[in-house]
């Protein structure tokens, strides 16, 4: 082939006809459509890819909450600490470590074994550590996030034993102060939790920046042996609106605290919250109970000290006359088991009619029986709880008050009749069944001779 022919041949493939040009544009158009469809598909899937990214945990360090253990928030939890006669010491190989200050006390008897339930698992189960001084039990982990955190708080207790000191009280504050113990904590927005306790002398400081001066602040590590007998603890998540209701109920019940003492009060957050906190620590003049429903569905009842009626009969009447079974520090002046027909003259006409109120004197867990009355010694009970035993609801009730006082006078302000306190009412069948089994046992008799 000549050089001329070679040159001509090398350029022939690029001499395009009109047909080939149209075909080429057709291919380009098809490619463009495919590319656009692919881009559209990618764009439509982008939100799904974003939403599939890991989400932050429900609770953060910015919101104090009831914890089952560190990092595990729940709506509510309940703990029953056994007495030292039935379940001595701590579970397994656990030892007291005084996580919040104090020294391990050489008590003659002590018991920090417990059962607990929560909104995640409402049936009672046995704990495996030492109640109150770890970050793996409900009490210790919940208290830790406040004590070693930076939240607002109020701590109250009618038995501070002079650390901190309360004006007008020596060691403890009697009637007409409220018979109430616990703490509430919240963030700058007003969200947080409340924790009701039945333990004298704990808690008595809300922050490690303001520790107790003469005693420890850990269960099992305070001078008063508040782990010899049974105790209970209940914690509940609160919204800001819930917090306002709880603070108003605490004021109505005349709780013992001091808004000017940073050891037990760190005020702050919303202005309406701060205003209510500033009014705590005074004796209420109210004689009217309060009854609120919180965002969790839990009901809150507050008894003022001037409403001189037997406390658990008041709760029964407030809950439409439901019959109850109770377990409290049952000691003189005892209120006996009552029926729906028991004549009660220490009463208020605004309350309606109460149902029967049984007094449990023994309970059981596993094969172990334990005492549920009040008194000196290791086989007694200082927890304050009850369950409904009739009606359409399955109530579990956690409170500040004992079945002590009077049904018919002559002193209708006797003992708990003349004191204030709070009652938290949870309507949950699994929890109610578990607590009913826990306090199932002997029952105090009815007594025609009323106190």
């Amino acid at each position: 082939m000549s050089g001329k022919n070679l040159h001509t041949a090398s350029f022939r493939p690029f001499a395009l006809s009109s047909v080939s040009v149209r075909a080429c544009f057709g291919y380009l158009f098809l490619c463009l459509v495919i590319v656009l469809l692919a881009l559209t598909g990618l764009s439509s899937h982008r939100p799904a890819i974003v939403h599939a990214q890991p989400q932050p945990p429900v609770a953060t360090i910015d919101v104090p909450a009831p914890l089952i253990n560190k990092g595990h928030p729940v709506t509510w939890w309940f703990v029953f600490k056994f007495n030292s006669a039935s379940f001595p010491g701590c579970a397994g190989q656990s030892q007291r470590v005084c996580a919040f200050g104090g020294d391990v006390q050489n008590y003659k008897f002590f018991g920090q074994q417990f059962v607990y339930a929560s909104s995640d698992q409402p049936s009672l189960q046995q704990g495996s550590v030492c109640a109150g001084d770890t970050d793996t039990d409900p009490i210790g982990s919940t208290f830790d996030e406040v004590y070693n955190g930076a939240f607002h708080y109020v701590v109250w207790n009618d038995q501070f034993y002079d650390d901190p000191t309360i004006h007008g009280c020596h060691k403890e504050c009697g009637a007409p102060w409220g018979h109430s113990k616990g703490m509430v904590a919240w963030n700058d927005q007003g969200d947080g939790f409340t924790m009701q306790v039945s333990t004298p002398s704990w808690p008595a400081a809300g922050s490690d920046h303001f520790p107790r001066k003469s005693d420890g602040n850990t269960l099992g590590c305070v001078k008063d042996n508040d782990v010899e007998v049974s105790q209970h603890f209940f914690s509940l998540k609160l919204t800001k609106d819930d917090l306002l209701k709880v603070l108003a109920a605490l004021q109505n019940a005349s709780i013992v605290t001091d808004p000017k003492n940073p050891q037990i009060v760190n005020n702050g957050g919303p202005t309406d919250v701060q205003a209510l906190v500033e009014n705590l620590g005074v004796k209420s003049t109210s004689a009217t109970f309060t009854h609120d429903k919180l965002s969790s569905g839990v009901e809150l009842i507050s008894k003022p000290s001037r409403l001189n009626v037997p406390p658990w009969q008041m709760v029964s009447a407030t809950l439409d006359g439901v019959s109850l079974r109770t377990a409290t520090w049952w000691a003189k002046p005892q209120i006996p088991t009552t029926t729906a027909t028991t004549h009660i003259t220490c009463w208020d006409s605004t309350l309606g009619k109460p149902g029967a109120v049984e007094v449990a004197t023994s309970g059981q867990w596993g094969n172990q029986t334990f005492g549920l009355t009040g008194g000196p010694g290791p086989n007694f009970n200082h927890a304050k709880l009850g369950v409904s035993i009739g009606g359409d609801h399955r109530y579990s009730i956690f409170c500040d008050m004992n079945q002590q006082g009077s049904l018919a006078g002559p002193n209708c302000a006797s003992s708990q009749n003349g004191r204030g306190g709070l009652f938290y009412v949870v309507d949950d069948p699994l929890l109610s069944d578990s607590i009913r089994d826990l306090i199932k046992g002997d029952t105090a008799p009815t007594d025609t001779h009323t106190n």
Side-chain angles (χ1 to χ4, degrees):
M1 183 179 291
S2 67
K4 180 180 178 181
N5 289 339
L6 178 62
H7 178 80
T8 304
S10 65
F11 284 91
R12 187 169 292 144
F14 298 97
L16 299 175
S17 67
S18 62
V19 173
S20 61
V21 169
R22 288 195 299 271
C24 182
F25 277 110
Y27 286 129
L28 287 173
F29 179 76
L30 179 61
C31 290
L32 181 61
V33 170
I34 292 171
V35 170
L36 289 173
L37 288 172
L39 290 173
T40 303
L42 286 173
S43 177
S44 66
H45 286 292
R46 277 183 191 134
I49 293 172
V50 173
H51 291 162
Q53 297 301 312
Q55 298 298 304
V58 173
T60 71
I61 196 170
D62 296 326
V63 183
L67 301 179
I68 287 297
N69 50 56
K70 189 172 184 178
H72 185 169
V74 292
T75 301
W76 58 262
W77 55 250
F78 160 67
V79 170
F80 179 82
K81 187 203 75 64
F82 294 108
N83 67 39
S84 58
S86 57
F87 291 88
C90 296
Q93 302 301 312
S94 298
Q95 301 292 323
R96 294 171 290 172
V97 296
C98 303
F100 310 110
D103 299 312
V104 172
Q105 300 293 302
N106 187 27
Y107 303 135
K108 184 176 181 181
F109 303 104
F110 87 97
Q112 288 176 246
Q113 297 193 54
F114 64 97
V115 289
Y116 70 101
S118 73
S119 52
D120 279 3
Q121 186 169 337
S123 296
L124 288 171
Q125 56 185 309
Q126 191 154 359
S128 59
V129 294
C130 196
D133 65 355
T134 74
D135 62 7
T136 57
D137 76 278
I139 306 165
S141 58
T142 302
F143 185 65
D144 175 71
E145 64 180 325
V146 180
Y147 191 73
N148 292 305
F151 297 114
H152 309 295
Y153 56 81
V154 175
V155 177
W156 65 95
N157 201 307
D158 61 308
Q159 293 174 282
F160 278 133
Y161 297 137
D162 295 332
D163 187 358
T165 58
I166 299 295
H167 179 71
C169 300
H170 175 62
K171 292 193 68 175
E172 56 189 275
C173 299
W177 285 110
H179 188 262
S180 183
K181 304 168 176 68
M183 72 177 300
V184 64
W186 66 96
N187 62 11
D188 286 340
Q189 289 70 47
D191 300 316
F193 71 86
T194 187
M195 181 166 66
Q196 179 187 68
V197 310
S198 62
T199 43
S201 200
W202 188 88
S207 171
D208 64 347
H209 295 295
F210 302 98
R212 298 185 85 177
K213 300 174 180 62
S214 61
D215 206 344
N217 199 40
T218 313
L219 288 182
C221 305
V222 298
K223 295 173 184 176
D224 177 72
N225 186 357
D226 57 9
V227 291
E228 178 178 9
V229 298
S230 298
Q231 306 283 2
H232 90 271
F233 308 81
F234 175 72
S235 186
L236 177 67
K237 179 181 178 180
L238 301 176
T239 65
K240 186 231 177 180
D241 287 343
D242 294 336
L243 176 62
L244 292 172
K245 293 174 182 177
V246 170
L247 291 172
L250 292 171
Q251 196 280 328
N252 191 56
S254 300
I255 63 158
V256 177
T257 190
D258 182 357
K260 295 181 177 61
N261 187 342
Q263 180 175 323
I264 49 177
V265 175
N266 177 28
N267 201 359
T271 55
D272 48 355
V273 169
Q274 293 189 48
L276 285 174
V277 171
E278 289 172 1
N279 288 324
L280 295 176
V282 297
K283 298 169 186 174
S284 171
T285 59
S286 170
T288 304
F289 73 92
T290 64
H291 187 189
D292 294 295
K293 194 162 191 175
L294 306 179
S295 63
S296 57
V298 173
E299 297 179 56
L300 172 61
I301 300 169
S302 172
K303 177 189 178 297
S305 298
R306 290 194 176 192
L307 182 59
N308 299 151
V309 298
W312 281 93
Q313 280 73 13
M314 182 206 79
V315 173
S316 171
T318 304
L319 297 174
D320 299 322
V322 65
S323 293
L324 303 172
R325 181 172 177 83
T326 66
T328 70
W329 178 266
W330 195 62
K332 290 183 178 181
Q334 299 150 325
I335 296 176
T337 291
T338 57
T339 70
T341 60
T342 299
H343 185 57
I344 303 174
T345 56
C346 293
W347 201 240
D348 189 286
S349 60
T350 63
L351 289 172
K353 184 174 175 56
V357 179
E358 295 181 357
V359 174
T361 58
S362 68
Q364 58 190 29
W365 177 260
N367 296 320
Q368 182 67 52
T369 299
F370 50 86
L372 285 176
T373 61
N379 195 28
F380 292 98
N381 171 56
H382 199 251
K384 298 117 181 27
L385 53 103
V387 291
S388 58
I389 53 175
D392 298 328
H393 297 277
R394 308 283 284 281
Y395 293 131
S396 300
I397 305 169
F398 312 109
C399 82
D400 296 318
M401 309 200 76
N402 304 315
Q403 271 294 71
Q404 294 176 287
S406 179
L407 296 173
N411 179 15
C412 285
S414 169
S415 190
Q416 305 282 279
N417 285 34
R419 303 196 68 177
L422 270 57
F423 299 77
Y424 291 95
V425 184
V426 181
D427 193 351
D428 185 286
L430 294 177
L431 178 64
S432 181
D433 287 349
S434 284
I435 295 178
R436 185 181 291 111
D437 289 342
L438 183 73
I439 63 174
K440 179 173 61 179
D442 296 329
T443 303
T446 57
D447 189 350
T448 55
H449 176 69
T450 55
N451 294 312

